[in-house]
Amino acid sequence: MTLHAPQFDLARILRDTSVQHVEYHSSLSSTSTVAAELLGPLLGRAPAVVLADEQTAGRGRKGNVWWSSGGALTFSLVLNANEVPMAAERRPLIALAAGLAVRTVLADIAPEFAFFVKWPNDVLTGAQKICGILVEQQTANDQQGLIIGIGINVNNSLREAPAEVSQRATSLFDLCGQSFELTAVLIRVLQQLDLRITQFVNQPRLALSEVNRVSLLSGRTVTVLSGDATISGHCIGIDEDGQLVLQTEQGLIRCSTGIV
Ligand code: BTN
């Protein structure tokens, strides 16, 4: 039997963040799928993290596949929704809080690059995606859970990816030509997530102004596929409910979800 040494220092994660439990697997289907399957017990130990060195069936928004290879940071944070006092219509802000958290950490690690939050749930540098975020709400034993799935291309190289992925994505390794300690990156992201979610709950205006400062779409002409509708307009910014606000020929239109 080959023993697999964890790529992560789990004791340090528990010591340096508010996380109470880490469910670590060297390989699993998807950290968010496993988080949903184990939601009842994980909510009993929340905040909890499901963490994997490798996912075999990573999921993105709208049923998309999330491609990643060894060296990527893939995890899902499980929170008790009662501990995030935010009206249901404002929950899209959680994905933006996560985007802001990841952007802050990436900008600290690689200050020579400009990173942006792309509504509703990505982090990009230039036109290339470096992080995807998937926020899901699920119930177990009458308790509501929030599952915040985050995939950051850290030490993997997109050169190994299928062409359709490598053309529009990058990693810290591809940008900087060096590897980073995954435990340290994860701890910084978890700490920032804590801060940003708290900021959105307690100081929503400040948090929103930070998101709008680093929003990729603001000031641009964009086309959003929202349900069956295709909406084109000049992006004015993101509003207090996390909606993208577009100035169109028909007036102001607010998109609560969509693909840009
Ligand atoms: C997207 O870009 O549409 C969202 C991608 C989210 C990927 C992360 S990786 C960790 C977690 N587990 C998953 O299967 N998906 C999320």
Side-chain angles (χ1 to χ4, degrees), residues 30-32 55 57-61 66 74-76 121-122 129 132-134 149-151:
S30 145
T31 57
S32 289
Q55 298 187 124
R59 299 187 285 111
R61 286 173 71 231
W66 170 259
T74 51
F75 69 98
S76 298
N121 67 334
D122 293 336
K129 179 159 161 170
I133 295 160
L134 177 70
I150 299 185

PDB file of all heavy atoms in Angstrom, residues 30-32 55 57-61 66 74-76 121-122 129 132-134 149-151, ligand 1:
ATOM      1  N   SER A  30     -15.817  15.920  -6.474  1.00  0.00           N
ATOM      2  CA  SER A  30     -15.913  17.386  -6.414  1.00  0.00           C
ATOM      3  C   SER A  30     -16.062  17.765  -4.952  1.00  0.00           C
ATOM      4  O   SER A  30     -16.867  17.149  -4.231  1.00  0.00           O
ATOM      5  CB  SER A  30     -17.146  17.833  -7.219  1.00  0.00           C
ATOM      6  OG  SER A  30     -17.763  18.944  -6.624  1.00  0.00           O
ATOM      7  N   THR A  31     -15.300  18.743  -4.500  1.00  0.00           N
ATOM      8  CA  THR A  31     -15.402  19.128  -3.076  1.00  0.00           C
ATOM      9  C   THR A  31     -16.816  19.625  -2.747  1.00  0.00           C
ATOM     10  O   THR A  31     -17.315  19.397  -1.648  1.00  0.00           O
ATOM     11  CB  THR A  31     -14.366  20.214  -2.715  1.00  0.00           C
ATOM     12  OG1 THR A  31     -14.555  21.347  -3.579  1.00  0.00           O
ATOM     13  CG2 THR A  31     -12.943  19.699  -2.828  1.00  0.00           C
ATOM     14  N   SER A  32     -17.483  20.262  -3.734  1.00  0.00           N
ATOM     15  CA  SER A  32     -18.835  20.778  -3.466  1.00  0.00           C
ATOM     16  C   SER A  32     -19.858  19.640  -3.435  1.00  0.00           C
ATOM     17  O   SER A  32     -20.806  19.667  -2.639  1.00  0.00           O
ATOM     18  CB  SER A  32     -19.227  21.815  -4.517  1.00  0.00           C
ATOM     19  OG  SER A  32     -18.479  22.993  -4.310  1.00  0.00           O
ATOM     20  N   GLN A  55      -9.615  16.847  -8.090  1.00  0.00           N
ATOM     21  CA  GLN A  55     -11.029  16.538  -8.313  1.00  0.00           C
ATOM     22  C   GLN A  55     -11.156  15.789  -9.650  1.00  0.00           C
ATOM     23  O   GLN A  55     -10.520  16.173 -10.626  1.00  0.00           O
ATOM     24  CB  GLN A  55     -11.858  17.804  -8.416  1.00  0.00           C
ATOM     25  CG  GLN A  55     -11.872  18.668  -7.173  1.00  0.00           C
ATOM     26  CD  GLN A  55     -12.847  19.815  -7.292  1.00  0.00           C
ATOM     27  OE1 GLN A  55     -13.724  19.974  -6.481  1.00  0.00           O
ATOM     28  NE2 GLN A  55     -12.701  20.619  -8.330  1.00  0.00           N
ATOM     29  N   ALA A  57     -14.355  15.250 -10.949  1.00  0.00           N
ATOM     30  CA  ALA A  57     -15.601  15.717 -11.578  1.00  0.00           C
ATOM     31  C   ALA A  57     -15.949  17.100 -11.031  1.00  0.00           C
ATOM     32  O   ALA A  57     -17.044  17.319 -10.490  1.00  0.00           O
ATOM     33  CB  ALA A  57     -16.732  14.722 -11.324  1.00  0.00           C
ATOM     34  N   GLY A  58     -15.001  18.034 -11.164  1.00  0.00           N
ATOM     35  CA  GLY A  58     -15.221  19.400 -10.687  1.00  0.00           C
ATOM     36  C   GLY A  58     -16.391  20.042 -11.446  1.00  0.00           C
ATOM     37  O   GLY A  58     -16.529  19.845 -12.647  1.00  0.00           O
ATOM     38  N   ARG A  59     -17.206  20.791 -10.701  1.00  0.00           N
ATOM     39  CA  ARG A  59     -18.401  21.405 -11.309  1.00  0.00           C
ATOM     40  C   ARG A  59     -18.284  22.920 -11.318  1.00  0.00           C
ATOM     41  O   ARG A  59     -17.768  23.518 -10.377  1.00  0.00           O
ATOM     42  CB  ARG A  59     -19.652  21.037 -10.504  1.00  0.00           C
ATOM     43  CG  ARG A  59     -19.935  19.568 -10.429  1.00  0.00           C
ATOM     44  CD  ARG A  59     -21.282  19.299  -9.771  1.00  0.00           C
ATOM     45  NE  ARG A  59     -21.263  19.478  -8.323  1.00  0.00           N
ATOM     46  CZ  ARG A  59     -21.892  20.462  -7.682  1.00  0.00           C
ATOM     47  NH1 ARG A  59     -22.574  21.385  -8.343  1.00  0.00           N
ATOM     48  NH2 ARG A  59     -21.842  20.545  -6.371  1.00  0.00           N
ATOM     49  N   GLY A  60     -18.803  23.529 -12.398  1.00  0.00           N
ATOM     50  CA  GLY A  60     -18.895  24.978 -12.463  1.00  0.00           C
ATOM     51  C   GLY A  60     -20.356  25.400 -12.480  1.00  0.00           C
ATOM     52  O   GLY A  60     -21.252  24.569 -12.287  1.00  0.00           O
ATOM     53  N   ARG A  61     -20.601  26.662 -12.693  1.00  0.00           N
ATOM     54  CA  ARG A  61     -21.983  27.158 -12.785  1.00  0.00           C
ATOM     55  C   ARG A  61     -22.662  26.599 -14.017  1.00  0.00           C
ATOM     56  O   ARG A  61     -22.008  26.223 -14.973  1.00  0.00           O
ATOM     57  CB  ARG A  61     -21.998  28.687 -12.887  1.00  0.00           C
ATOM     58  CG  ARG A  61     -21.683  29.384 -11.586  1.00  0.00           C
ATOM     59  CD  ARG A  61     -21.550  30.863 -11.846  1.00  0.00           C
ATOM     60  NE  ARG A  61     -22.813  31.486 -12.144  1.00  0.00           N
ATOM     61  CZ  ARG A  61     -23.048  32.266 -13.186  1.00  0.00           C
ATOM     62  NH1 ARG A  61     -22.113  32.504 -14.072  1.00  0.00           N
ATOM     63  NH2 ARG A  61     -24.226  32.827 -13.353  1.00  0.00           N
ATOM     64  N   TRP A  66     -15.695  21.915 -14.371  1.00  0.00           N
ATOM     65  CA  TRP A  66     -14.551  22.743 -13.948  1.00  0.00           C
ATOM     66  C   TRP A  66     -13.300  21.904 -14.119  1.00  0.00           C
ATOM     67  O   TRP A  66     -13.095  20.914 -13.413  1.00  0.00           O
ATOM     68  CB  TRP A  66     -14.712  23.192 -12.486  1.00  0.00           C
ATOM     69  CG  TRP A  66     -13.474  23.842 -11.935  1.00  0.00           C
ATOM     70  CD1 TRP A  66     -12.548  23.272 -11.113  1.00  0.00           C
ATOM     71  CD2 TRP A  66     -13.016  25.185 -12.171  1.00  0.00           C
ATOM     72  NE1 TRP A  66     -11.547  24.178 -10.829  1.00  0.00           N
ATOM     73  CE2 TRP A  66     -11.812  25.357 -11.465  1.00  0.00           C
ATOM     74  CE3 TRP A  66     -13.530  26.254 -12.915  1.00  0.00           C
ATOM     75  CZ2 TRP A  66     -11.097  26.547 -11.472  1.00  0.00           C
ATOM     76  CZ3 TRP A  66     -12.819  27.443 -12.930  1.00  0.00           C
ATOM     77  CH2 TRP A  66     -11.624  27.584 -12.210  1.00  0.00           C
ATOM     78  N   THR A  74      -8.385  23.520  -4.699  1.00  0.00           N
ATOM     79  CA  THR A  74      -9.831  23.297  -4.860  1.00  0.00           C
ATOM     80  C   THR A  74     -10.420  22.940  -3.502  1.00  0.00           C
ATOM     81  O   THR A  74      -9.987  21.977  -2.864  1.00  0.00           O
ATOM     82  CB  THR A  74     -10.105  22.150  -5.863  1.00  0.00           C
ATOM     83  OG1 THR A  74      -9.332  21.003  -5.493  1.00  0.00           O
ATOM     84  CG2 THR A  74      -9.742  22.544  -7.278  1.00  0.00           C
ATOM     85  N   PHE A  75     -11.377  23.720  -3.067  1.00  0.00           N
ATOM     86  CA  PHE A  75     -11.995  23.448  -1.770  1.00  0.00           C
ATOM     87  C   PHE A  75     -13.403  24.031  -1.719  1.00  0.00           C
ATOM     88  O   PHE A  75     -13.770  24.881  -2.545  1.00  0.00           O
ATOM     89  CB  PHE A  75     -11.141  24.031  -0.625  1.00  0.00           C
ATOM     90  CG  PHE A  75     -11.124  25.542  -0.584  1.00  0.00           C
ATOM     91  CD1 PHE A  75     -11.971  26.240   0.273  1.00  0.00           C
ATOM     92  CD2 PHE A  75     -10.276  26.265  -1.396  1.00  0.00           C
ATOM     93  CE1 PHE A  75     -11.970  27.623   0.325  1.00  0.00           C
ATOM     94  CE2 PHE A  75     -10.265  27.650  -1.371  1.00  0.00           C
ATOM     95  CZ  PHE A  75     -11.105  28.335  -0.510  1.00  0.00           C
ATOM     96  N   SER A  76     -14.179  23.548  -0.740  1.00  0.00           N
ATOM     97  CA  SER A  76     -15.517  24.104  -0.511  1.00  0.00           C
ATOM     98  C   SER A  76     -15.657  24.419   0.968  1.00  0.00           C
ATOM     99  O   SER A  76     -15.375  23.567   1.820  1.00  0.00           O
ATOM    100  CB  SER A  76     -16.599  23.106  -0.942  1.00  0.00           C
ATOM    101  OG  SER A  76     -16.472  22.856  -2.322  1.00  0.00           O
ATOM    102  N   ASN A 121     -19.072  35.723 -10.597  1.00  0.00           N
ATOM    103  CA  ASN A 121     -18.361  34.788  -9.714  1.00  0.00           C
ATOM    104  C   ASN A 121     -16.956  34.383 -10.171  1.00  0.00           C
ATOM    105  O   ASN A 121     -16.519  33.283  -9.847  1.00  0.00           O
ATOM    106  CB  ASN A 121     -19.193  33.506  -9.552  1.00  0.00           C
ATOM    107  CG  ASN A 121     -19.281  32.743 -10.853  1.00  0.00           C
ATOM    108  OD1 ASN A 121     -19.177  33.340 -11.921  1.00  0.00           O
ATOM    109  ND2 ASN A 121     -19.437  31.451 -10.783  1.00  0.00           N
ATOM    110  N   ASP A 122     -16.260  35.218 -10.900  1.00  0.00           N
ATOM    111  CA  ASP A 122     -14.924  34.818 -11.352  1.00  0.00           C
ATOM    112  C   ASP A 122     -13.874  35.840 -10.904  1.00  0.00           C
ATOM    113  O   ASP A 122     -14.196  36.989 -10.622  1.00  0.00           O
ATOM    114  CB  ASP A 122     -14.847  34.783 -12.887  1.00  0.00           C
ATOM    115  CG  ASP A 122     -15.711  33.697 -13.489  1.00  0.00           C
ATOM    116  OD1 ASP A 122     -15.993  32.712 -12.795  1.00  0.00           O
ATOM    117  OD2 ASP A 122     -16.105  33.853 -14.661  1.00  0.00           O
ATOM    118  N   LYS A 129      -9.116  33.780 -16.929  1.00  0.00           N
ATOM    119  CA  LYS A 129      -9.696  33.393 -15.642  1.00  0.00           C
ATOM    120  C   LYS A 129      -8.661  32.652 -14.815  1.00  0.00           C
ATOM    121  O   LYS A 129      -7.972  31.774 -15.318  1.00  0.00           O
ATOM    122  CB  LYS A 129     -10.900  32.503 -15.937  1.00  0.00           C
ATOM    123  CG  LYS A 129     -11.640  31.976 -14.748  1.00  0.00           C
ATOM    124  CD  LYS A 129     -13.045  31.583 -15.174  1.00  0.00           C
ATOM    125  CE  LYS A 129     -13.709  30.654 -14.208  1.00  0.00           C
ATOM    126  NZ  LYS A 129     -15.139  30.473 -14.511  1.00  0.00           N
ATOM    127  N   GLY A 132     -12.543  30.297 -10.203  1.00  0.00           N
ATOM    128  CA  GLY A 132     -13.994  30.185 -10.372  1.00  0.00           C
ATOM    129  C   GLY A 132     -14.641  29.905  -9.026  1.00  0.00           C
ATOM    130  O   GLY A 132     -14.044  29.236  -8.169  1.00  0.00           O
ATOM    131  N   ILE A 133     -15.841  30.423  -8.843  1.00  0.00           N
ATOM    132  CA  ILE A 133     -16.538  30.308  -7.554  1.00  0.00           C
ATOM    133  C   ILE A 133     -17.955  29.805  -7.804  1.00  0.00           C
ATOM    134  O   ILE A 133     -18.645  30.280  -8.715  1.00  0.00           O
ATOM    135  CB  ILE A 133     -16.573  31.688  -6.855  1.00  0.00           C
ATOM    136  CG1 ILE A 133     -15.145  32.112  -6.502  1.00  0.00           C
ATOM    137  CG2 ILE A 133     -17.456  31.670  -5.603  1.00  0.00           C
ATOM    138  CD1 ILE A 133     -14.962  33.596  -6.270  1.00  0.00           C
ATOM    139  N   LEU A 134     -18.368  28.851  -6.991  1.00  0.00           N
ATOM    140  CA  LEU A 134     -19.705  28.261  -7.132  1.00  0.00           C
ATOM    141  C   LEU A 134     -20.360  28.268  -5.756  1.00  0.00           C
ATOM    142  O   LEU A 134     -19.899  27.562  -4.854  1.00  0.00           O
ATOM    143  CB  LEU A 134     -19.558  26.817  -7.640  1.00  0.00           C
ATOM    144  CG  LEU A 134     -20.815  25.983  -7.798  1.00  0.00           C
ATOM    145  CD1 LEU A 134     -21.654  26.516  -8.966  1.00  0.00           C
ATOM    146  CD2 LEU A 134     -20.455  24.522  -8.054  1.00  0.00           C
ATOM    147  N   GLY A 149     -17.840  26.898  -3.073  1.00  0.00           N
ATOM    148  CA  GLY A 149     -16.802  26.128  -3.757  1.00  0.00           C
ATOM    149  C   GLY A 149     -15.870  27.067  -4.508  1.00  0.00           C
ATOM    150  O   GLY A 149     -16.316  27.927  -5.259  1.00  0.00           O
ATOM    151  N   ILE A 150     -14.574  26.890  -4.271  1.00  0.00           N
ATOM    152  CA  ILE A 150     -13.592  27.799  -4.880  1.00  0.00           C
ATOM    153  C   ILE A 150     -12.486  26.987  -5.543  1.00  0.00           C
ATOM    154  O   ILE A 150     -11.911  26.074  -4.933  1.00  0.00           O
ATOM    155  CB  ILE A 150     -12.981  28.748  -3.817  1.00  0.00           C
ATOM    156  CG1 ILE A 150     -14.104  29.593  -3.198  1.00  0.00           C
ATOM    157  CG2 ILE A 150     -11.892  29.645  -4.433  1.00  0.00           C
ATOM    158  CD1 ILE A 150     -13.644  30.659  -2.224  1.00  0.00           C
ATOM    159  N   GLY A 151     -12.203  27.315  -6.794  1.00  0.00           N
ATOM    160  CA  GLY A 151     -11.086  26.692  -7.504  1.00  0.00           C
ATOM    161  C   GLY A 151     -10.131  27.783  -7.958  1.00  0.00           C
ATOM    162  O   GLY A 151     -10.527  28.691  -8.695  1.00  0.00           O
TER     163      GLY A 151
HETATM  164  C1  BTN B   1     -17.325  28.376 -12.384  1.00  0.00           C
HETATM  165  O1  BTN B   1     -16.355  28.939 -12.881  1.00  0.00           O
HETATM  166  O2  BTN B   1     -18.379  28.201 -13.035  1.00  0.00           O
HETATM  167  C2  BTN B   1     -17.236  27.914 -10.960  1.00  0.00           C
HETATM  168  C3  BTN B   1     -16.131  26.922 -10.751  1.00  0.00           C
HETATM  169  C4  BTN B   1     -16.028  26.445  -9.309  1.00  0.00           C
HETATM  170  C5  BTN B   1     -14.967  25.396  -9.139  1.00  0.00           C
HETATM  171  C6  BTN B   1     -14.797  24.996  -7.714  1.00  0.00           C
HETATM  172  S1  BTN B   1     -13.404  23.936  -7.482  1.00  0.00           S
HETATM  173  C7  BTN B   1     -13.927  23.577  -5.867  1.00  0.00           C
HETATM  174  C8  BTN B   1     -15.423  23.398  -5.909  1.00  0.00           C
HETATM  175  N1  BTN B   1     -15.756  22.050  -6.320  1.00  0.00           N
HETATM  176  C9  BTN B   1     -16.365  22.007  -7.498  1.00  0.00           C
HETATM  177  O3  BTN B   1     -16.738  20.983  -8.095  1.00  0.00           O
HETATM  178  N2  BTN B   1     -16.526  23.259  -7.977  1.00  0.00           N
HETATM  179  C10 BTN B   1     -15.971  24.246  -7.076  1.00  0.00           C
END
